[in-house]
Amino acid sequence: MAERDLLGYGGEWPEIVWPNGARLAVSLVVNFEEGAEEQAGDGDAHSERIGEVISVVDPGRRDRGQEQIFAYGLRAGLWRTADALERAALPATIFFCGRAAERSPRLARMLVERGHEAACHGWRWRPHADYDDGAREAADLDRASAAIEAATGERPLGFFCRGAESAWTRRLLAERGYLYTANGFDDDLPYRDAGTGLLVIPYALDTNDMKFFHPNGFVRAVEMVDYVRDALDVLEAEAARGHARLLNIGFHLRIIGRPGRFKAFQAILDELTRRRDRLWIARRIDIARAFARAVPC
């Protein structure tokens, strides 16, 4: 039976007040994956199947339609998303796949120059749990980190991979000086990995636009907006009772960048702006550093 931590803080959460005096921190994440997904046209055994519709192209054949669905994220969706963040003066963390940053360095650098954090999303958009040994994973992690730094001018200190980490991921990150991993879906507050001391800044897949691409998820933009509002209401009430919390809201350029869904992005930014004096809206690297100061090893 695998060893699992099902207790966490056990209802005794650390006393944290975020740097601006709020008890609820909000992390906005934008995923920059386009060009790093599996595509037969790039030499992969098959193309990514999850998109606006499930791909019907046979494995091994080039799926130009799926390539174009991904390309929309950078050709159109990025500009809507980046400009809306700038108008709202809200900071985000960008989860960059290394190969995506290498293919579109001008776009990657533009986002960081606008004040957003460059975090590592692996070399490819794939689960790190798929790696059979630590050496191959380490090589891809180094390749991704170097590509992101070359493209953006910023060395990533945060990490998140699609799906799940391998048995070696956190050790490899700690050895390379990473400050945090976001591959944790199990808490509303950061915590330290017991084995490595690495900070875990939990992420979330419910307040996430990927649910537009899943049958049990959002259909209309308002559904995501309402869901995020409900999450804010619950966590703000807990914060008012003295419990520090973190809310993660995740977006993808090819998903939220489409006109019919972009309305959700804009409405969520408007809602955060309306509540701004009660929240700390921050990049994940800043959340990690604030937590490390508040809850030292």
Side-chain angles (χ1 to χ4, degrees), residues 228-244:
V228 169
R229 282 197 186 111
D230 288 347
L232 284 165
D233 287 346
V234 169
L235 294 181
E236 272 201 63
E238 292 180 4
R241 294 194 292 272
H243 303 309

Side-chain angles (χ1 to χ4, degrees), residues 81-120:
T81 304
D83 289 349
L85 286 168
E86 188 164 39
R87 287 193 301 271
L90 290 174
T93 293
I94 314 298
F95 283 168
F96 286 108
C97 287
R99 194 173 79 167
E102 184 177 82
R103 279 181 135 166
S104 303
R106 181 174 69 87
L107 302 181
R109 183 172 287 264
M110 178 271 290
L111 290 170
V112 172
E113 287 177 345
R114 292 193 184 195
H116 305 303
E117 175 195 358
C120 180

Side-chain angles (χ1 to χ4, degrees), residues 120-173:
C120 180
H121 199 18
W123 171 245
R124 301 290 301 278
W125 190 49
R126 57 169 289 185
H128 275 227
D130 287 352
Y131 284 103
D132 295 325
D133 63 78
R136 287 182 56 242
E137 182 178 4
D140 277 354
L141 183 59
D142 290 340
R143 188 180 185 187
S145 300
I148 293 165
E149 185 170 10
T152 68
E154 182 175 301
R155 175 174 170 254
L157 295 175
F159 174 83
F160 179 76
C161 70
R162 182 182 187 181
E165 299 165 318
S166 76
W168 311 282
T169 303
R170 292 185 180 183
R171 173 179 59 82
L172 295 174
L173 293 171

Side-chain angles (χ1 to χ4, degrees), residues 9-24:
Y9 287 113
E12 297 181 1
W13 299 284
E15 177 67 24
I16 300 171
V17 177
W18 299 111
N20 70 341
R23 289 190 182 270
L24 174 55

Side-chain angles (χ1 to χ4, degrees), residues 23-67:
R23 289 190 182 270
L24 174 55
V26 175
S27 165
L28 291 169
V29 169
V30 176
N31 290 268
F32 191 109
E33 302 159 344
E34 290 75 9
E37 78 282 2
E38 290 187 300
Q39 294 289 1
D42 287 334
D44 295 313
H46 57 82
S47 296
E48 173 61 46
R49 300 190 67 80
I50 298 176
E52 294 291 337
V53 295
I54 300 298
S55 174
V56 296
V57 176
D58 289 339
R61 292 187 181 273
R62 185 176 182 185
D63 188 342
R64 287 177 171 82
Q66 192 72 297
E67 290 176 12

